[in-house]
Amino acid sequence: MEILRQSFQIKYDYNVYFTASIFDLNNKALSDFFRNSDTGYLRKIMFVIDEGVNNAQPNLIKNIKAYFSKYCCISLVQDFVIVPGGEECKNDNKCLYDIMEAIDANGIDRHSYLAAIGGGAVLDLAGYVSAIAHRGIKHLRFPTTVLSQNDSGIGVKNGINAFGKKNFIGTFCPPDAVFNDINFLQTLSTRIWKSGISEAIKVALIKDATFFEWIEANQVLLSLRDTEATRYLIKRCAELHLMHIGGADPFEKGSSRPLDFGHWSAHKIESLSKYQILHGEAVAMGIALDTAYSVLNNRLDEAKGQRILALLLKFDFHIDHPLALIHSLQSPLIKGLREFREHLGGNLAITFLSDIGVGEEHNQIDLQLLIKSSEMVSQFAKPYMPLLFQ
Amino acid sequence: MEILRQSFQIKYDYNVYFTASIFDLNNKALSDFFRNSDTGYLRKIMFVIDEGVNNAQPNLIKNIKAYFSKYCCISLVQDFVIVPGGEECKNDNKCLYDIMEAIDANGIDRHSYLAAIGGGAVLDLAGYVSAIAHRGIKHLRFPTTVLSQNDSGIGVKNGINAFGKKNFIGTFCPPDAVFNDINFLQTLSTRIWKSGISEAIKVALIKDATFFEWIEANQVLLSLRDTEATRYLIKRCAELHLMHIGGADPFEKGSSRPLDFGHWSAHKIESLSKYQILHGEAVAMGIALDTAYSVLNNRLDEAKGQRILALLLKFDFHIDHPLALIHSLQSPLIKGLREFREHLGGNLAITFLSDIGVGEEHNQIDLQLLIKSSEMVSQFAKPYMPLLFQ
């Protein structure tokens, strides 16, 4: 038998810019980006905007138009596609179709850009469309939430939901650039704002003890949405995520998912709540559970475990939410664990903690210990309950 | 302004195996592949089969079942998805949905395989589904036509049609392996069989004069579908395509498309004929036109140009088909040229010949010379007309 072997490498690179008021006429970040990436082709840019952001910032489109009419080395498509934010846009095929149709109608080709302004869900949807239209058009992201600025919006994944499953369809496809504009956060509700902090706690716990201590020390400032503290939180969290993604397995060919610390249960909690619990909130619940498990499994010092649970509670995360608790082997989260294992191809790979800042992968999980871990979270959170319902 | 830079490389590799009777119980190609790629995960494989192939080979599914029940290191899904062949399956969303639903229902995950048996269109569709389900599941291709075994089926593109445009949606996503089984060609109609030869002529013309001379010398054997000649034609053509794809720009980030020699008009001819003209037939028409242009533009020796046109005619390619001719600046193919330029981002990049075996990129095209080129093809083909209609 004859065999021909094909082998090649593809290089991916992109920048994440940290800025404020990106469409202010004095902000050159975007115009510099287009000038530096000029290839001599006629280029167009079309925007997809999260409805919530557009409503909160009524001048947004006007500002974009003014910006591009001043900096005209790329042609702005006057047709803006507005899509609902949150999981709704990833569930509804009409949103996908609307963007695709606008790409066709406006002649957006492989040298042109689809730019997305919004929370993680809108970025996931627009990123997916960018990845598949014409086998890939250029893509810019303008994340507008803490979560998307420090985690999902700066990474390489996109996706939509199908068959009732989150991200059933999607690709790994890096953006051409990400612009993290701190001012987009101002109009967020406190609930959405805070939900983004859990991913920073997560990445600190598995990668960077110093960062965890910084979050502890700055908990009050962060809860008050202090701009400087927020800027640092997002930047360091984004940096840790980027370092990890750029490491061994950017497109997740293997099964190891250290960044998914706390996520195996989080995905199920979100789904059980019919997405009424936000992703970041569910991650906080998942972190609490897996922290307790790390303690009871004698891998993590108990006092350190308590510091972690206490920090989550100080940010008002409802870590003993009824949907996050495991009372028996029949609990829905145990079913979620089985689904997670199946998703990984039969071999479990779950990250727990051996120290603050040190994640370690386990390939087995003791279900009785998991029930006890849930009980531990529940007991620990009890004294905080009155605070939560003040 | 602070900037974080992300940069990484992804390595892609896969083998193209040349074999015969792949599902014969004595053929170890496939079982060796699965044994060598064993990762310890529970793996499944599900087949998508071209309806035409399934009808022509009534024992195919039975043979596949027998093969996998003998070589059981991977679990065969008993649900086979049959889709119509040709562009129909890329136009009809139901085909896409059927495969996607079967992936969900049968729990095909990222460690499992979607295998596709069929012509180029079915492979394009199944490759696309593999690229987007779960952000990419494993994918095997079993091309069943000359064209897909020597060109489309061994490359890195997939796609479906939308908004009346061929491959409007798709990705660049290499398969995990390709199995070229020469016996699949036996049940092809002569028309479909021969249409695949034009891509071999194309790649010979731009890359390999010796291969072109070999095709000339073996024209009669190839027209008689001689197995050995066919085997060599496919292998050398595939090899040249793989070498090119593995070269500078596998995922076509730039505009240069040397492999698209003869294709700018071919795409439009296919579409004008409502896909009644096969891709390979249209490519032969496109090669003829661009060869004549190369001669009239004083880049290619006239005698060599005539050898090329004569070879195409000996394979019965209808190079002066009315839809392939350009009588004036209002001809539909001139519109096709504008669309092609737009698709490339405004800057034309078309390959012509400076010699047999040597393609060169041109960024301008003389429309009056194109009309004369069409006339030259027409004049040259005239004496052959009676042969075509014998």
Side-chain angles (χ1 to χ4, degrees):
Chain A
M1 184 175 58
E2 292 179 295
I3 302 174
L4 293 176
R5 182 155 188 81
Q6 177 67 296
S7 182
F8 57 83
Q9 289 197 317
I10 303 285
K11 193 166 193 301
Y12 296 91
D13 42 51
Y14 61 94
N15 287 348
V16 180
Y17 300 89
F18 295 83
T19 184
S21 301
I22 183 87
F23 300 115
D24 185 293
L25 292 183
N26 296 315
N27 188 328
K28 296 249 176 92
L30 207 48
S31 69
D32 285 351
F33 170 80
F34 287 117
R35 214 186 47 242
N36 294 334
S37 60
D38 194 359
T39 48
Y41 295 107
L42 172 69
R43 298 181 301 170
K44 300 177 189 172
I45 182 167
M46 188 172 79
F47 279 84
V48 174
I49 305 179
D50 191 318
E51 192 172 29
V53 178
N54 193 47
N55 291 342
Q57 306 203 10
N59 288 326
L60 181 59
I61 289 179
K62 201 180 79 182
N63 292 343
I64 293 172
K65 287 184 176 177
Y67 191 89
F68 281 89
S69 86
K70 179 168 178 190
Y71 300 109
C72 54
C73 84
I74 184 164
S75 163
L76 174 69
V77 169
Q78 298 296 310
D79 192 5
F80 289 74
V81 187
I82 313 294
V83 293
E87 290 296 309
E88 188 183 340
C89 73
K90 293 172 67 177
N91 287 325
D92 183 358
N93 267 331
K94 190 181 171 301
C95 296
L96 176 76
Y97 185 85
D98 285 351
I99 304 175
M100 205 58 100
E101 196 177 39
I103 286 172
D104 179 43
N106 293 291
I108 301 296
D109 60 24
R110 240 184 256 178
H111 299 289
S112 294
Y113 292 83
L114 187 73
I117 302 175
V122 170
L123 301 183
D124 274 356
L125 167 65
Y128 174 62
V129 175
S130 304
I132 62 169
H134 296 298
R135 296 202 185 101
I137 57 179
K138 293 182 185 289
H139 179 45
L140 301 182
R141 296 201 198 124
F142 300 80
T144 58
T145 60
V146 176
L147 185 72
S148 55
Q149 291 197 358
N150 71 13
D151 181 3
S152 62
I154 55 139
V156 298
K157 297 187 201 180
N158 58 54
I160 57 171
N161 307 331
F163 304 109
K165 293 184 175 125
K166 191 166 166 163
N167 298 324
F168 185 81
I169 294 174
T171 72
F172 291 92
C173 186
D176 289 84
V178 182
F179 296 89
N180 270 347
D181 179 341
I182 192 94
N183 286 348
F184 273 125
L185 308 182
Q186 282 173 6
T187 54
L188 292 179
S189 73
T190 296
R191 185 184 168 201
I192 290 179
W193 195 95
K194 276 196 186 173
S195 75
I197 292 178
S198 61
E199 292 284 2
I201 296 174
K202 172 209 75 178
V203 81
L205 283 173
I206 54 175
K207 299 262 184 196
D208 184 351
T210 310
F211 184 38
F212 180 80
E213 284 155 15
W214 180 91
I215 299 174
E216 273 185 318
N218 288 273
Q219 177 269 317
V220 173
L221 277 178
L222 287 167
S223 290
L224 294 170
R225 301 170 63 154
D226 173 78
T227 303
E228 274 316 304
T230 304
R231 196 194 304 274
Y232 180 76
L233 178 97
I234 289 174
K235 168 129 185 286
R236 182 63 187 149
C237 180
E239 193 166 36
L240 289 166
H241 275 114
L242 288 170
M243 277 164 57
H244 178 82
I245 295 167
D249 188 16
F251 290 178
E252 297 180 6
K253 299 284 183 195
S255 278
S256 190
R257 306 278 160 78
L259 283 184
D260 279 0
F261 173 58
H263 277 58
W264 71 266
S265 55
H267 288 307
K268 190 69 185 175
I269 294 166
E270 276 183 271
S271 149
L272 288 170
S273 80
K274 300 195 169 61
Y275 299 101
Q276 295 307 299
I277 294 177
L278 300 172
H279 178 69
E281 293 171 335
V283 167
M285 298 170 196
I287 291 173
L289 182 64
D290 290 355
T291 295
Y293 186 92
S294 303
V295 169
L296 294 179
N297 199 23
N298 297 317
R299 299 298 301 150
L300 178 68
D301 176 74
E302 184 171 0
K304 289 181 178 172
Q306 289 178 348
R307 269 170 65 194
I308 299 168
L309 297 182
L311 182 63
L312 292 170
L313 287 163
K314 283 179 190 160
F315 280 118
D316 293 339
F317 286 121
H318 193 170
I319 59 175
D320 60 340
H321 189 287
L323 290 178
L325 298 183
I326 304 175
H327 297 296
S328 74
L329 295 178
Q330 281 68 50
S331 286
L333 286 195
I334 299 287
K335 191 170 168 233
L337 185 65
R338 276 197 299 272
E339 289 167 0
F340 185 73
R341 179 169 48 210
E342 197 175 293
H343 174 68
L344 293 181
N347 295 357
L348 208 55
I350 292 192
T351 298
F352 291 104
L353 302 177
S354 62
D355 199 349
I356 285 176
V358 186
E360 62 179 17
E361 191 174 291
H362 287 229
N363 301 110
Q364 287 198 321
I365 194 161
D366 177 335
L367 297 182
Q368 293 298 338
L369 207 58
L370 204 53
I371 294 172
K372 287 188 187 129
S373 308
S374 176
E375 174 62 20
M376 178 180 161
V377 171
S378 198
Q379 287 299 326
F380 190 87
K382 214 170 264 176
Y384 289 80
M385 286 289 277
L387 292 173
L388 281 172
F389 293 97
Q390 264 174 2
Chain B
M1 183 175 59
E2 291 180 295
I3 302 175
L4 293 176
R5 181 153 189 80
Q6 177 67 295
S7 182
F8 57 84
Q9 289 196 317
I10 303 285
K11 194 166 192 302
Y12 296 92
D13 42 52
Y14 60 95
N15 286 348
V16 180
Y17 301 90
F18 295 82
T19 184
S21 302
I22 182 89
F23 300 115
D24 185 291
L25 292 182
N26 296 315
N27 188 328
K28 297 248 177 89
L30 207 48
S31 69
D32 285 351
F33 170 81
F34 288 118
R35 213 187 47 242
N36 295 333
S37 60
D38 194 1
T39 49
Y41 295 107
L42 172 69
R43 298 181 300 171
K44 299 178 190 172
I45 182 167
M46 187 173 78
F47 279 84
V48 174
I49 304 179
D50 191 318
E51 192 172 30
V53 179
N54 194 47
N55 291 342
Q57 305 204 9
N59 289 326
L60 181 59
I61 290 180
K62 201 181 79 183
N63 293 343
I64 293 173
K65 287 185 176 175
Y67 191 90
F68 281 90
S69 87
K70 179 169 176 189
Y71 299 108
C72 53
C73 85
I74 184 164
S75 164
L76 175 70
V77 169
Q78 298 297 309
D79 193 4
F80 289 74
V81 187
I82 312 293
V83 293
E87 291 296 309
E88 187 184 339
C89 72
K90 293 171 67 177
N91 287 325
D92 183 359
N93 267 332
K94 189 180 171 300
C95 295
L96 176 76
Y97 185 86
D98 284 351
I99 304 175
M100 205 59 101
E101 196 177 37
I103 286 173
D104 179 43
N106 293 291
I108 301 296
D109 61 25
R110 240 185 255 177
H111 299 288
S112 295
Y113 292 83
L114 187 74
I117 303 176
V122 171
L123 301 182
D124 274 357
L125 166 66
Y128 174 62
V129 175
S130 304
I132 62 169
H134 296 298
R135 295 201 185 101
I137 56 180
K138 292 182 186 291
H139 179 45
L140 301 183
R141 296 199 198 125
F142 300 80
T144 58
T145 61
V146 176
L147 186 73
S148 55
Q149 290 197 358
N150 71 14
D151 180 3
S152 62
I154 55 140
V156 298
K157 298 187 200 180
N158 58 53
I160 57 170
N161 308 331
F163 304 109
K165 295 185 174 123
K166 191 166 165 162
N167 299 324
F168 185 81
I169 295 175
T171 72
F172 292 92
C173 186
D176 290 84
V178 182
F179 296 89
N180 270 347
D181 180 342
I182 192 91
N183 286 348
F184 273 126
L185 308 182
Q186 282 174 6
T187 54
L188 291 180
S189 73
T190 296
R191 185 184 167 200
I192 290 179
W193 196 95
K194 277 198 188 171
S195 75
I197 292 178
S198 61
E199 292 284 3
I201 296 174
K202 172 209 75 179
V203 81
L205 284 173
I206 55 175
K207 299 263 183 195
D208 184 350
T210 309
F211 184 38
F212 180 79
E213 284 155 17
W214 181 90
I215 299 174
E216 272 185 317
N218 288 274
Q219 178 268 317
V220 174
L221 277 177
L222 288 167
S223 290
L224 293 170
R225 302 170 62 154
D226 174 78
T227 303
E228 273 317 304
T230 304
R231 195 194 304 276
Y232 180 77
L233 178 98
I234 288 174
K235 169 138 183 276
R236 182 63 186 149
C237 181
E239 193 167 36
L240 289 165
H241 275 114
L242 288 170
M243 278 163 58
H244 178 81
I245 294 167
D249 188 16
F251 289 179
E252 298 181 5
K253 300 285 181 193
S255 278
S256 189
R257 307 275 163 80
L259 283 184
D260 278 1
F261 173 59
H263 276 58
W264 70 266
S265 55
H267 288 309
K268 189 70 186 176
I269 294 166
E270 275 184 271
S271 149
L272 288 170
S273 81
K274 300 196 168 61
Y275 299 101
Q276 295 308 298
I277 294 176
L278 300 172
H279 178 69
E281 294 171 334
V283 167
M285 298 170 196
I287 291 173
L289 182 65
D290 290 356
T291 295
Y293 186 91
S294 303
V295 170
L296 294 179
N297 199 23
N298 297 317
R299 300 298 303 150
L300 179 67
D301 177 72
E302 185 171 1
K304 290 181 177 172
Q306 290 177 348
R307 271 170 64 194
I308 300 168
L309 298 183
L311 182 64
L312 293 169
L313 288 164
K314 283 178 189 159
F315 280 118
D316 294 340
F317 286 121
H318 193 171
I319 58 175
D320 59 340
H321 190 287
L323 290 178
L325 297 183
I326 304 175
H327 297 296
S328 75
L329 294 179
Q330 281 69 50
S331 286
L333 287 195
I334 299 288
K335 190 168 169 235
L337 185 65
R338 277 198 299 271
E339 289 167 2
F340 185 71
R341 179 169 49 211
E342 198 175 289
H343 174 68
L344 293 180
N347 295 359
L348 208 54
I350 293 192
T351 298
F352 292 104
L353 302 177
S354 63
D355 199 349
I356 286 176
V358 186
E360 62 178 17
E361 191 173 291
H362 287 229
N363 301 109
Q364 287 198 321
I365 194 161
D366 178 335
L367 298 182
Q368 293 300 338
L369 206 59
L370 204 54
I371 294 172
K372 286 187 189 132
S373 309
S374 176
E375 173 62 18
M376 178 180 161
V377 171
S378 199
Q379 286 301 325
F380 190 86
K382 212 170 266 175
Y384 289 81
M385 287 290 277
L387 293 173
L388 281 173
F389 293 98
Q390 265 175 1

